Structure formats: structure tokens, C-alpha cells
Amino acid sequence: ECLEEMFDPGNFRYRYPFINCTQCGPRYTIIEALPYDRPYTVMKSFTMCERCASEYHNPGNRRHHAQPIACPKCGPKLSLFSIKGKKLAERENALQETQVRLERGEIVAVKGLGGYHLACDAFNEAAIRRLRERKRRPKRPLAVMVRSLEEAGRLCVLSEAEAKMLASPESPIVILDRKSGTGLPEVLAPGLVTLGVMLPYTPLHHLLFADSSLRALVMTSANPSGLPILYRDEEAFDYLADIADAGLSANREIL
């Protein structure tokens, strides 16, 4: 339902990357304390506008007591930064500029629900080799996020059970047998006939693929090997200074 609204030009949350309801959206990573109420989450710094408040207080609405409820008027916003920390664009412009950068082979650090991913075009061999070199990950397989279940079926052999698993609420990485002749470079998973595949699981992921030529993105955790995921903006940008070309962030803090 949120996806339908997000892609509906008549909806006031059209193309809003932080759209959510009680059945989806962030929970664990925005909580400061219990009980799970807005004043105990990072959303306390975003005052609900009248429209959001009316949904929040309406028991008949699926956003009744959705603690992360937000819209473009009152909620968090995207920002694209150079890896040195200079702000390059905001909101829709940040999204579109990120797509352009990914399409031309750049590596972008993308802030997700629980931390940062390093993303690049999964069909761009030069970008993948650069990512491997910079991250010092010469051979370990890289997982990819594909734009849709249909795309997964074009790139890999997909059984009914695997398709169901991919599309499940857990949105896991599923190890699939690769098809030959798809154009995906061998360097994604050297020496293997399989590929780790996942589907978009946040509004931002869906928007990264929308209205772009991107079919699949390498999505690898941005943290150094063996260390916890990078989730604080300053730490992420500091560590990724020699790895990513830019960072797509947001002013909703991850706890």
C-alpha cells in the first residue's frame, strides 16, 4: 500500500523515500527507549504536520500510532554529499543525482535502515573492480539488489520457493544459480556459479531503480571486514573517504 502511494502522482507522499505505516517502516533502529512511542524515537525531532497528525490519531487509519509517520512537509529528507562532506543536493535532486552517478560507474555510500551500504552498478565491471580494490575485498562474492522479482528471474534460475523467499517480509539475500549470457560480470562472484540476490526492501531502494537504467546494484555493507556496520554519519564518511565517491544520507538518525 505504501509503495502504491509512493508512486501515485496524486498522493501527497509521492516519491517520498521515508513513507511508512504500522505494517512497514523502521522500528528497532530508531528507538531510544521503551515504550515504543514517538517521544522515545529519533522522530521526536520531526513535528507532525496536520495531515500526518490526523492519520496518526485516527484509529481507522493504517498509520494510527505509526511512530515514524512523516511526509515531505514535516519529515526527514535525503541529502547527497561529496565524500569530503560537501552537500551536493537535497530531496528529489539528491535522488536523481545519485542515480546519474551510479549509472556512470561511481560508488555511492547509501544510508539504509540500519547502516550504510556501498552501492555500484552490478553490470559495470570497472566499477566493481574499483570497489573491490578500494575495499580490499579481492575475491569474496558480492551480493546484488535487483530492481524486481522479474529481473531476478532474467538473471538467475528462480524456483517458486526461491521467488517466495526473495519476496518475503524478511527480504533476505537468497543464493541463486546464475544464468549465462546475462551481461553480469564474473567479477561479482569469482569462480562461483551462484549469486547472492535480494529485492528492494525500503522506499529509497525502490526509488533508486525507478525511472533509471539501473537493473541491479551491488549492495555490500560499508563496514571494514569483521567490524560492526557503519551507521553514524561522521564515522561512515570518515572511513569511506578512500572508498566511496559520494554519500546519499538522510537526517533521520540511526540508533
Side-chain angles (χ1 to χ4, degrees):
E1 288 169 306
C2 280
L3 277 178
E4 280 178 19
E5 290 173 352
M6 187 175 75
F7 287 118
D8 174 8
N11 193 282
F12 75 104
R13 291 191 181 91
Y14 177 57
R15 291 182 64 83
Y16 184 56
F18 304 98
I19 191 169
N20 67 84
C21 70
T22 52
Q23 289 145 55
C24 68
R27 291 181 180 84
Y28 179 70
T29 57
I30 64 167
I31 295 175
E32 282 182 348
L34 293 174
Y36 177 49
D37 289 323
R38 196 172 175 104
Y40 303 114
T41 74
V42 298
M43 293 303 295
K44 67 185 176 186
S45 57
F46 300 96
T47 304
M48 276 183 270
C49 66
E50 282 184 25
R51 246 172 154 174
C52 285
S54 69
E55 291 180 334
Y56 182 86
H57 293 295
N58 177 5
N61 193 287
R62 78 175 200 284
R63 292 193 173 93
H64 180 234
H65 284 190
Q67 307 308 338
I69 191 172
C71 75
K73 184 178 177 182
C74 65
K77 66 182 180 189
L78 287 179
S79 294
L80 179 69
F81 294 90
S82 75
I83 209 61
K84 301 296 181 190
K86 180 187 175 187
K87 189 179 285 188
L88 303 173
E90 284 188 342
R91 300 183 185 270
E92 181 67 22
N93 291 337
L95 180 66
Q96 291 179 6
E97 176 66 17
T98 299
Q99 289 175 314
V100 168
R101 286 169 176 263
L102 289 168
E103 285 170 339
R104 71 181 182 216
E106 290 191 21
I107 298 164
V108 181
V110 178
K111 186 177 184 176
L113 283 181
Y116 277 85
H117 276 112
L118 287 166
C120 71
D121 182 358
F123 284 88
N124 189 319
E125 185 169 345
I128 298 164
R129 289 192 183 280
R130 215 161 49 247
L131 175 59
R132 284 194 174 283
E133 191 180 315
R134 291 180 185 178
K135 206 187 173 195
R136 297 187 182 91
R137 187 173 172 170
K139 290 185 177 173
R140 277 178 64 200
L142 294 164
V144 300
M145 179 179 283
V146 296
R147 68 185 303 152
S148 64
L149 200 55
E150 292 72 31
E151 190 65 49
R154 279 191 282 271
L155 300 175
C156 298
V157 178
L158 194 59
S159 71
E160 199 176 315
E162 288 164 335
K164 194 175 176 183
M165 206 181 296
L166 268 176
S168 68
E170 292 81 6
S171 302
I173 296 172
V174 181
I175 310 299
L176 302 174
D177 288 325
R178 292 167 69 163
K179 288 181 178 176
S180 58
T182 62
L184 282 176
E186 167 73 11
V187 71
L188 279 170
L192 297 178
V193 295
T194 54
L195 187 66
V197 175
M198 59 183 142
L199 293 180
Y201 57 86
T202 71
L204 177 59
H205 293 150
H206 286 278
L207 286 168
L208 282 173
F209 286 109
D211 303 321
S212 81
S213 64
L214 298 166
R215 295 168 56 196
L217 290 170
V218 169
M219 279 281 192
T220 184
S221 57
N223 51 292
S225 288
L227 293 179
I229 193 163
L230 289 169
Y231 68 94
R232 292 191 181 95
D233 297 335
E234 314 76 40
E235 284 180 8
F237 277 76
D238 184 50
Y239 172 73
L240 297 171
D242 299 320
I243 301 176
D245 299 305
L248 183 61
S249 190
N251 60 339
R252 186 176 69 195
E253 193 184 353
I254 297 172
L255 298 180

